Amino acid sequence: MAHFQSPMPNREFLWDVFQRVDKDRSGYISADELQQALSNGTWTPFNPETVRLMIGMFDRQSRGVVNFDDFGALWKYVTDWQNCFRSFDRDNSGNIDRNELKNALISFGYRLSEGIVDILVRKYDRSGRGIIYFDDFIQCCIVLYTLTSAFRQYDTDQDGVITIHYEQFLSMVFSLKI
């Protein structure tokens, strides 16, 4: 996603956004507050699992909330994903279809079979229409990246094949923040 990066917004703008999102004035943004502030373009709530994943990525104190400094990085992350999503939503439909998802994944460096692309569409298509909305696209990409990184730790010769014991597999999967 590196070529979709936006500049960091100025501090005053971020503070204004932070204060509007921090409904309870705690000085922290919770997953619930962030979910209410985000839009996936469908007038439906942002996927709570995606919100939880993003809070976990930027919550440096592991408290389930982000402070103002963490929020700046989170805001930039969401904005970068929006730019990325829009670039692959070729027909400007507000969602990503199977071919648009495949093109996005190829551009990220993934070489996945047609069957795996189909599985991803089925898993992240909450509407049942063969399309993926913005929030689910983020979740799909985060999970795919996290699983790939975990796999690569064991794939020392980079041949796409690993041999691990069952408990190593369980340890690997259960230690992931997904």
Side-chain angles (χ1 to χ4, degrees), residues 17-176:
V17 173
F18 183 86
Q19 287 184 304
R20 281 189 274 136
V21 175
D22 181 19
K23 298 281 189 207
D24 66 0
R25 300 281 177 253
S26 65
Y28 295 93
I29 291 177
S30 67
D32 287 344
E33 288 170 328
L34 185 60
Q35 182 187 18
Q36 291 172 20
L38 294 174
S39 167
N40 65 7
T42 63
W43 304 105
T44 59
F46 213 82
N47 184 330
E49 187 60 22
T50 304
V51 174
R52 185 190 66 76
L53 279 172
M54 291 190 310
I55 290 276
M57 290 170 67
F58 292 94
D59 171 19
R60 288 181 291 189
Q61 287 103 21
S62 297
R63 294 174 47 192
V65 293
V66 290
N67 64 21
F68 176 64
D69 292 329
D70 298 336
F71 178 73
L74 176 77
W75 183 265
K76 183 181 182 320
Y77 184 78
V78 172
T79 303
D80 290 345
W81 273 117
Q82 266 183 325
N83 294 336
C84 174
F85 182 82
R86 287 183 184 132
S87 76
F88 290 108
D89 180 14
R90 300 276 188 229
D91 58 0
N92 293 316
S93 61
N95 57 64
I96 298 274
D97 66 23
R98 185 198 181 285
N99 289 331
E100 291 167 333
L101 176 66
K102 183 178 176 189
N103 289 335
L105 297 175
I106 288 170
S107 81
F108 298 157
Y110 293 107
R111 300 290 178 259
L112 303 174
S113 70
E114 298 296 322
I116 295 298
V117 174
D118 289 340
I119 288 170
L120 291 173
V121 170
R122 280 196 307 275
K123 176 148 181 71
Y124 293 100
D125 168 23
R126 286 190 296 157
S127 71
R129 296 177 20 220
I131 56 174
I132 298 174
Y133 294 116
F134 174 55
D135 50 351
D136 301 312
F137 175 71
I138 294 173
Q139 185 182 346
C140 174
C141 293
I142 292 171
V143 169
L144 189 57
Y145 174 81
T146 304
L147 291 172
T148 301
S149 296
F151 183 90
R152 283 185 177 153
Q153 288 178 346
Y154 289 94
D155 187 14
T156 51
D157 59 357
Q158 300 294 301
D159 68 351
V161 176
I162 62 174
T163 302
I164 59 176
H165 297 282
Y166 179 61
E167 288 202 2
Q168 285 177 298
F169 170 75
L170 291 177
S171 177
M172 177 178 72
V173 170
F174 288 128
S175 67
L176 298 175

